[in-house]
Amino acid sequence: MSSARYTRYLVVALVGLTFFYFISRSSLQIPSTASFPNPSPSYEDFKAQKLQSSGNNSSERVNATFVTLARNSDIWEIAKSIRTVEDRFNRNYNYDWVFLNDADFDDDFKKLTTSLVSGTTHYGRIPKAHWSYPEWIDEDKAKEARDEMDRKKIIYGGSESYRHMCRYESGFFFRHPLMLNYEYYWRVEPSIELFCDIGTDPFRFMKENDKKYSFVISLYEYYETIPTLWDSVKKFMSNHPEHIPKGNAMDFISEDGGESYNKCHFWSNFEIGSLEWLRSKEYIDYFSSLDQDGGFFYERWGDAPVHSIAAAILLKKEQIHFFNEIAYYHVPFTHCPTDEQTRLDLRCHCQPDENFDWKGYSCTNRWFKVNDMEKPYGWD
Ligand code: GDP
Ligand code: MN
């Protein structure tokens, strides 16, 4: 077919099709699309709507933030944690989220986490001075200790970065410039899960009830990681009796009035707490005293026993709160409310028989005992 003829056929066909289209529209009375409601509103409208409907409770917020210490490589694990926290709680509150790292966060990490968090995100780099050896530490001795613990197969025993991490969480995260404007924090680690709706704001609960520290899971510490921690605590207590109030929770962590440590601690991968308490003279004196003794490096003191002992000796017992309603998982333990009605009311999806509270290695039993709290039916 010559190209002139081809063009002629094409023009005729197009004219025919156009003609047929108009005829069929008018005869069949098909309304133009403009008279249908717009099936796809613009993305901007959608976002504005979402913000309006999701920010229900944001006007009731207290001055608080989520905080996560993470590496860039934790991105997918922290994404899961953010999703669960947003779905069960923060989508209705839009609290800020602070991310801290000993290196710079990369763009992928920032882009993804900002898209997942309903509140404002902030990214901070940890100053070198807070993630390195203080001058009084003998680094050779620290290395020997790591090698020895590695040989003994103690968990994280050979890791240098884990020790910096524990020391940072024990003594510095609350002093990071990005944290200074907040009053309360909620610590979130990678790969955690929440199993129940959190309908009331735990931050507000903390503030209105003068709570300073809270937990969902407690357990016994691995002794090999803290052989001299209690000696160090006792030294602090005898140097600073003015920091130890009557009515504290010493009975939770000691069976003999403070002579020895029973190794009970609150599991600090979950924490909702007061930053102002951690920044107080009492806590800073405590941390500095422990830090001088070197156990973060010569042993492998965890931030969990360090925070827990501080809460138990520096606070009044009533200032520590057990959040039964916050059902939580961090490998390998679960807290799932014992009471069925609570689980149904809060639309929980945890398996009750996985609840760690009353199992042998949990200290929550003891927490109930020393507080004269009634245990759920069937557990006394
Ligand atoms: P585990 O829960 O005791 O097994 O320890 P994790 O591996 O979960 O570490 C505790 C927290 O510190 C998590 O939020 C980690 O993302 C974070 N973390 C651990 N090591 C490092 C590190 O070297 N650098 C940074 N930036 N974060 C770390
Ligand atoms: Mn963890």
Side-chain angles (χ1 to χ4, degrees):
M1 199 186 294
S2 77
S3 77
R5 244 172 110 191
Y6 177 79
T7 314
R8 217 160 37 236
Y9 275 117
L10 201 67
V11 169
V12 169
L14 274 174
V15 169
L17 272 175
T18 314
F19 182 72
F20 178 75
Y21 174 76
F22 279 110
I23 291 293
S24 63
R25 269 195 90 82
S26 55
S27 62
L28 295 173
Q29 296 287 302
I30 296 175
S32 79
T33 49
S35 64
F36 281 122
N38 188 345
S40 56
S42 76
Y43 180 62
E44 274 63 37
D45 292 346
F46 172 73
K47 256 194 352 202
Q49 252 176 21
K50 180 177 160 249
L51 278 181
Q52 257 177 13
S53 63
S54 72
N56 290 349
N57 304 314
S58 56
S59 58
E60 301 162 17
R61 278 195 306 250
V62 299
N63 184 12
T65 185
F66 289 94
V67 60
T68 291
L69 177 66
R71 296 152 289 210
N72 288 310
S73 58
D74 292 317
I75 178 168
W76 299 111
E77 304 309 315
I78 200 60
K80 286 185 219 163
S81 301
I82 296 172
R83 243 345 313 171
T84 195
V85 169
E86 288 289 337
D87 290 349
R88 289 299 195 169
F89 171 67
N90 201 40
R91 69 194 173 94
N92 295 321
Y93 287 86
N94 317 143
Y95 276 102
D96 289 3
W97 205 306
V98 172
F99 295 90
L100 301 173
N101 189 353
D102 57 308
D104 283 328
F105 281 113
D106 61 31
D107 286 343
D108 285 344
F109 188 99
K110 292 197 243 184
K111 228 175 3 181
L112 179 67
T113 51
T114 293
S115 83
L116 295 176
V117 174
S118 61
T120 307
T121 47
H122 303 276
Y123 301 88
R125 187 171 173 147
I126 296 167
K128 189 92 187 121
H130 293 171
W131 194 282
S132 51
Y133 292 97
E135 93 264 341
W136 61 88
I137 294 295
D138 175 342
E139 292 187 37
D140 294 333
K141 184 174 157 190
K143 170 138 186 30
E144 277 163 32
R146 286 200 301 279
D147 292 347
E148 177 62 17
M149 288 174 82
D150 201 28
R151 275 195 294 276
K152 289 192 192 153
K153 303 255 180 300
I154 292 165
I155 183 165
Y156 298 117
S159 170
E160 188 175 32
S161 64
Y162 195 83
R163 286 177 170 76
H164 287 300
M165 183 278 286
C166 289
R167 179 169 175 262
Y168 187 76
E169 292 286 25
S170 297
F172 299 102
F173 82 92
F174 47 85
R175 298 190 252 183
H176 191 283
L178 288 176
M179 299 298 288
L180 293 180
N181 292 327
Y182 299 102
E183 240 178 295
Y184 295 89
Y185 71 102
W186 179 333
R187 173 168 166 183
V188 176
E189 286 206 357
S191 293
I192 59 119
E193 210 171 337
L194 297 179
F195 300 104
C196 302
D197 282 352
I198 301 174
T200 45
D201 181 352
F203 289 128
R204 176 166 289 276
F205 172 84
M206 298 287 287
K207 187 174 169 77
E208 290 182 355
N209 295 282
D210 192 34
K211 305 286 184 192
K212 304 290 185 201
Y213 192 82
S214 67
F215 71 99
V216 289
I217 290 171
S218 70
L219 70 167
Y220 292 95
E221 182 58 303
Y222 193 13
Y223 176 75
E224 258 70 28
T225 65
I226 50 153
T228 68
L229 175 59
W230 194 249
D231 295 337
S232 189
V233 171
K234 284 210 284 195
K235 188 169 87 184
F236 162 78
M237 290 193 292
S238 69
N239 288 339
H240 288 284
E242 77 281 10
H243 288 345
I244 318 294
K246 283 208 173 59
N248 64 13
M250 176 66 92
D251 288 348
F252 175 63
I253 56 168
S254 175
E255 330 262 317
D256 51 19
E259 207 29 55
S260 66
Y261 177 39
N262 65 10
K263 305 193 291 291
C264 279
H265 65 287
F266 308 121
W267 214 23
S268 64
N269 47 62
F270 169 96
E271 282 179 332
I272 299 175
S274 160
L275 291 161
E276 291 181 349
W277 170 56
L278 293 174
R279 291 189 285 253
S280 69
K281 177 162 171 42
E282 290 81 356
Y283 187 86
I284 298 291
D285 282 349
Y286 164 84
F287 170 74
S288 308
S289 171
L290 264 52
D291 197 29
Q292 281 291 328
D293 292 339
F296 289 108
F297 298 107
Y298 302 141
E299 295 177 3
R300 209 226 63 201
W301 295 352
D303 52 279
V306 171
H307 283 183
S308 306
I309 292 171
I313 66 174
L314 302 177
L315 297 175
K316 287 181 176 293
K317 209 153 56 175
E318 318 81 72
Q319 293 179 306
I320 304 174
H321 183 68
F322 170 55
F323 269 117
N324 181 47
E325 302 78 13
I326 301 184
Y328 174 83
Y329 171 77
H330 174 294
V331 64
F333 301 122
T334 297
H335 165 66
C336 183
T338 304
D339 172 51
E340 184 185 28
Q341 197 54 52
T342 305
R343 293 198 306 273
L344 296 174
D345 291 346
L346 302 177
R347 308 194 309 158
C348 304
H349 73 288
C350 48
Q351 277 192 45
D353 58 0
E354 289 181 358
N355 180 28
F356 185 63
D357 294 358
W358 320 114
K359 295 194 173 159
Y361 219 61
S362 167
C363 284
T364 300
N365 221 336
R366 183 167 181 85
W367 179 255
F368 273 61
K369 201 165 98 191
V370 301
N371 284 282
D372 297 320
M373 282 157 64
E374 210 174 304
K375 280 197 271 178
Y377 179 75
W379 291 101
D380 33 30

